Amino acid sequence: MGDLDITEVAKRSGVPASTLRFYEEKGLITSIGRRGLRRLFDADVLERLALVALGRDAGFSLDEIARMFASDGRPRIDRKMLAAKAEELDRTLLKLTAMRDGLRHAAACPAPSHMECPTFRRLMRAAASGAMSERTKKAPQPPRR
Amino acid sequence: MGDLDITEVAKRSGVPASTLRFYEEKGLITSIGRRGLRRLFDADVLERLALVALGRDAGFSLDEIARMFASDGRPRIDRKMLAAKAEELDRTLLKLTAMRDGLRHAAACPAPSHMECPTFRRLMRAAASGAMSERTKKAPQPPRR
DNA sequence: GTGCCACTTCAAGTCAACTTGAGGTCAAGC
DNA sequence: GCTTGACCTCAAGTTGACTTGAAGTGGCAC
């Protein structure tokens, strides 16, 4: 009833079966049993997966996310850690916002070459000096396939 | 005169020599000769490195950045590409902003478990709907090292 | 009852962007 | 002219998050 086999979970969550096995091995999710060899999951694994996705998106590593789950399976998220992550995200947001504005300007800038655009050069200097980020921090990469 | 050896470039740019060699191999920079074994670079390599840093920070891959340099060595940066990157950054920003607000709330939320906090659950659903369907995009990770 | 085939395990491969290590070379200082 | 040491090359290692491949297994349709 509430049990879903791995294919079902994959289908409903959009997470590939190979990743589900990988997540189980990592302790991010738990299978509730087997039908033959086939893993069975409780339906609440979907919520768990959503939480994992959330953590990933917020910039937590899988290991960090794993540490957030108590042994009883309920999320036990350190509030301090959350606040710290929010802080970090906030700094990232500032930087990315500046970057977006700069890119947008450079894209619309009438200077014959970007090297002659003051805004572009300012951005460049900022990136070079590392002034925008505390240390080398990268913006999100385009989706891998 | 205008020539800098690799150590000088490393010192002035903050980019390790190993990375400079790696970048040269990738075609991101070019050395103009050797003194003995030692690479010599024209001083304008510093500007080039700044450009690479900017591209990296904006979320371009090294390969993408390499493609921005035409064969003449002058940056040939497509305004459309910049605009597209700005767009992408913008979408990321929206998501990360929501995420930051959610984290901040969750950190302060009095609910015994985050799963019982309506705001947290809403955030989770939002992340699940956005992030899982397009589940390849990650927020920036904390600085390496 | 038997064959199919999607699942299983485990090891190894992939990708990006570098770094590290081993073994070699050469300009320069003494 | 010999030592020194920073550079050189090339190969392999690193990290995180997975994916892929080979070989095995068992529920289900026939």
Side-chain angles (χ1 to χ4, degrees), chain A residues 27-28 48 51-52 54-56 58-78 81-82 85, chain B residues 103 114 120:
Chain A
L28 290 165
R48 191 78 167 251
L51 201 48
V52 170
L54 170 61
R56 261 178 40 103
F60 292 97
S61 71
L62 294 187
D63 283 351
E64 283 177 306
I65 295 168
R67 265 179 258 124
M68 290 178 186
F69 298 118
S71 37
D72 65 353
R74 298 168 72 83
R76 182 209 70 218
I77 299 171
D78 181 3
M81 194 198 284
L82 291 180
K85 214 61 175 180
Chain B
L103 285 178
H114 296 301
F120 188 79

Side-chain angles (χ1 to χ4, degrees), chain B residues 5-6 9 24 30 35-36 38 45 80 87 99 119 137:
Chain B
D5 80 5
I6 193 170
V9 175
E24 187 182 13
T30 314
R35 179 163 56 231
R38 204 163 296 199
V45 75
K80 245 186 199 161
E87 275 298 294
M99 194 85 65
T119 300
K137 193 174 278 183

Side-chain angles (χ1 to χ4, degrees), chain B residues 38-71:
Chain B
R38 204 163 296 199
R39 281 166 181 77
L40 293 176
F41 293 94
D42 189 285
D44 68 10
V45 75
L46 295 172
E47 189 174 67
R48 192 75 167 253
L49 285 169
L51 211 43
V52 171
L54 173 60
R56 263 178 39 99
D57 280 357
F60 292 98
S61 72
L62 294 186
D63 284 350
E64 282 177 307
I65 295 168
R67 265 180 258 124
M68 291 177 186
F69 299 119
S71 36

Side-chain angles (χ1 to χ4, degrees), chain A residues 7 21 34 37 39:
Chain A
T7 330
R21 281 189 284 271
R34 300 280 177 126
L37 287 180
R39 280 166 181 77

Side-chain angles (χ1 to χ4, degrees), chain B residues 6-24:
Chain B
I6 193 170
T7 329
E8 199 61 34
V9 175
K11 209 175 303 174
R12 295 205 199 179
S13 66
V15 177
S18 68
T19 304
L20 293 173
R21 282 190 283 271
F22 175 70
Y23 279 2
E24 187 182 13

Side-chain angles (χ1 to χ4, degrees), chain A residues 13-95:
Chain A
S13 66
V15 177
S18 67
T19 304
L20 293 174
R21 281 189 284 271
F22 175 71
Y23 279 3
E24 188 182 12
E25 197 182 342
K26 276 245 156 188
L28 290 165
I29 57 178
T30 315
S31 57
I32 206 71
R34 300 280 177 126
R35 180 161 55 232
L37 287 180
R38 202 162 298 195
R39 280 166 181 77
L40 293 177
F41 293 94
D42 190 284
D44 68 11
V45 76
L46 295 172
E47 190 174 66
R48 191 78 167 251
L49 284 170
L51 201 48
V52 170
L54 170 61
R56 261 178 40 103
D57 280 357
F60 292 97
S61 71
L62 294 187
D63 283 351
E64 283 177 306
I65 295 168
R67 265 179 258 124
M68 290 178 186
F69 298 118
S71 37
D72 65 353
R74 298 168 72 83
R76 182 209 70 218
I77 299 171
D78 181 3
R79 286 181 161 78
K80 247 188 197 157
M81 194 198 284
L82 291 180
K85 214 61 175 180
E87 276 299 294
E88 191 183 313
L89 221 43
D90 211 36
R91 287 192 300 275
T92 302
L93 281 165
L94 285 175
K95 172 194 153 192

